[in-house]
Amino acid sequence: RDFCLSRGLGDVYKRQEDTLAIYRDTIQENTVLKLAMMLPFRAIEYDTIDAKDIFKTNKLVNITTDIYLGASIAIDSLRKMGIDVELSVFDTGRKDTKLDSILAVTDFSNIDAIIGPLYSEEVPKVANKAGVPVIFPVYSKNQASFSSSKIIKSFADREEHQQALVAHVLANYTNENILIIGDSSATSISNSDAIRSVLLLHDSITEAKIIYPDQGYIRKDYIINALKSDIGNWVLLATDNRVISSDVINSLISLPVEDPEEDEEDEEDKKDEKESDEPEMQILPEDTVIKVFGFDKSNQFDRIDNNKLAKLGFTYTSDIFIDESSQAVQIFNKQYLQKNNAYPSYYATKGFDIVFDASMRLASGDRLKETFKKGISYRLESKFDYSRKLFSTSSNNGIFIIQYNEDLSLTRLK
């Protein structure tokens, strides 16, 4: 999606102030919660297929199962805390095959919240028919089109990641040289231009250079010659392109530096150099300061050596932050392992966090959307900072900003 400038720079800073209040968990006495889950298990379809074959090739089945298994640990935990939770589970099957019949015969009026369905196209239908809060438990680029006030997006839209990182850059800027790397897509070009416009609103930022690909890749000389040796360099990757991201990282890792032992070139060498087709690149000191920023550490960085990212102090937005030393995380991992003979996946932990957070908020006795006004909450790996408007779709804007350290550890900056 295109980067949204409607809030303005002042509103970017205001959002940081708004998120300071922490939600306090409270449990109303004799609380009874009634939840429903709508997930595409497709149980009948897979009834005659060996489990190993099902999970080996079907990504959606793995996501569905992991969300449910994580949610079941959350339900167990809530019951141990004295909360009476009634959970109804619906198998929605393939897209647009079983949902209509489920909605036709089921009364959801006494349900506190519905988790699911997973298909984004089915979410508005459930919200309109059921008339209760519907929590969309995964991310989809189609979620930006949601309009019902009953829908709650548990993942931030792409533009929220961009806004969060740009706000971080603005808040921490101290005269660095800023470069923005885009790609040839219309979305990236639009985003790059918009990011540059927001950055230039800062009183001290007078320049932010955008570099686009030349014949499908980012030329190293374009990047190197845009760097400055006397101040820090901040490079913002406004692209989802794996090849371009990798090119940029590799170019910044191997800077052309002076060799102190190199003999003075003779006249013939200089002549050859002038006649060479190789583009000229400036020579930089070894201690040139470079820091790279990315909007969400998605799979575009999976094949990039973490040591390279650490060397560049790679800083990125994320919807999770894992603190392995956390007692709550350790307990969850142990319980999940004992129950399922496997460690929890990303979606298993998300399933726990989403269900546990919504249930704890409902256990206060307030309506779910009313609790969004009372602050943000941190669960195992997720942050829930929901938009506060009662009459529009609620979106979780709980985004972490994380930095790689030289020893490959991660630091949460926000």
Side-chain angles (χ1 to χ4, degrees), residues 67-355:
I67 288 176
Y68 174 75
L69 293 177
S72 67
I73 299 288
I75 299 298
D76 289 344
S77 300
L78 293 161
R79 287 170 177 164
K80 290 176 182 176
M81 298 170 67
I83 302 172
D84 186 356
V85 184
E86 298 177 11
L87 177 65
S88 301
V89 180
F90 298 87
D91 183 352
T92 57
R94 287 182 177 270
K95 187 187 300 183
D96 291 328
T97 58
K98 296 178 63 177
L99 187 64
D100 286 342
S101 60
I102 291 172
L103 294 174
V105 301
T106 309
D107 179 11
F108 290 99
S109 61
N110 64 340
I111 296 292
D112 293 302
I114 299 171
I115 296 90
L118 291 198
Y119 295 115
S120 60
E121 298 89 338
E122 295 182 340
V123 174
K125 184 182 294 186
V126 175
N128 293 335
K129 181 69 175 178
V132 299
V134 176
I135 303 171
F136 186 46
V138 292
Y139 171 78
S140 169
K141 61 183 180 181
N142 298 325
Q143 68 182 37
S145 65
F146 293 164
S147 58
S148 171
S149 62
K150 298 297 183 183
I151 298 175
I152 298 168
K153 298 184 288 188
S154 59
F155 285 76
D157 291 332
R158 176 69 172 174
E159 68 180 33
E160 291 292 339
H161 283 267
Q162 295 173 335
Q163 290 173 349
L165 192 61
V166 170
H168 173 77
V169 168
L170 290 169
N172 293 275
Y173 179 79
T174 55
N175 196 39
E176 286 79 12
N177 173 42
I178 297 179
L179 307 179
I180 302 168
I181 309 293
D183 60 46
S184 301
S185 68
T187 297
S188 179
I189 292 171
S190 175
N191 288 351
S192 298
D193 289 339
I195 291 167
R196 181 177 182 273
S197 297
V198 173
L199 292 174
L200 292 179
L201 292 174
H202 191 287
D203 292 341
S204 302
I205 300 177
T206 58
E207 181 182 12
K209 183 180 179 64
I210 302 176
I211 299 177
Y212 290 117
D214 180 23
Q215 298 182 353
Y217 74 99
I218 298 289
R219 288 178 47 169
K220 181 171 181 176
D221 59 307
Y222 286 5
I223 300 174
I224 299 303
N225 292 333
L227 299 175
K228 295 183 179 181
S229 60
D230 55 337
I231 58 176
N233 297 274
W234 285 359
V235 180
L236 279 65
L237 296 175
T239 175
D240 291 325
N241 188 295
R242 177 180 292 175
V243 174
I244 289 177
S245 297
S246 180
D247 283 347
V248 172
I249 298 297
N250 288 330
S251 295
L252 294 174
I253 284 293
S254 55
L255 299 178
V257 296
E258 289 189 47
D259 185 350
E261 298 181 0
E262 184 178 318
D263 294 330
E264 187 175 339
E265 295 175 322
D266 55 33
E267 291 301 319
E268 190 63 31
D269 290 335
K270 291 181 180 178
K271 182 180 178 182
D272 290 342
E273 185 178 303
K274 290 180 181 178
E275 294 175 354
S276 171
D277 291 333
E278 290 293 322
E280 291 187 10
M281 288 185 285
Q282 65 171 322
I283 302 299
L284 295 163
E286 290 186 4
D287 61 352
T288 300
V289 177
I290 303 172
K291 190 177 185 70
V292 177
F293 298 83
F295 304 113
D296 193 10
K297 186 177 179 293
S298 55
N299 58 8
Q300 73 189 87
F301 299 100
D302 287 348
R303 297 180 184 177
I304 299 177
D305 187 346
N306 284 339
N307 288 289
K308 294 180 179 180
L309 298 176
K311 184 177 180 181
L312 296 170
F314 183 59
T315 300
Y316 61 97
T317 61
S318 177
D319 60 87
I320 61 169
F321 177 73
I322 304 170
D323 180 6
E324 297 293 352
S325 64
S326 165
Q327 185 179 11
V329 171
Q330 292 175 2
I331 292 173
F332 171 71
N333 290 344
K334 182 179 179 180
Q335 290 177 340
Y336 193 93
L337 179 61
Q338 290 176 339
K339 191 171 184 178
N340 302 300
N341 297 314
Y343 284 102
S345 68
Y346 167 86
Y347 283 105
T349 308
K350 274 294 181 183
F352 177 95
D353 280 350
I354 292 168
V355 171

Side-chain angles (χ1 to χ4, degrees), residues 46 48-59 61-62:
Y46 292 130
T48 59
I49 303 175
D50 188 273
K52 291 182 179 178
D53 296 327
I54 298 172
F55 292 100
K56 186 185 298 182
T57 59
N58 195 315
K59 183 179 179 181
V61 171
N62 282 282

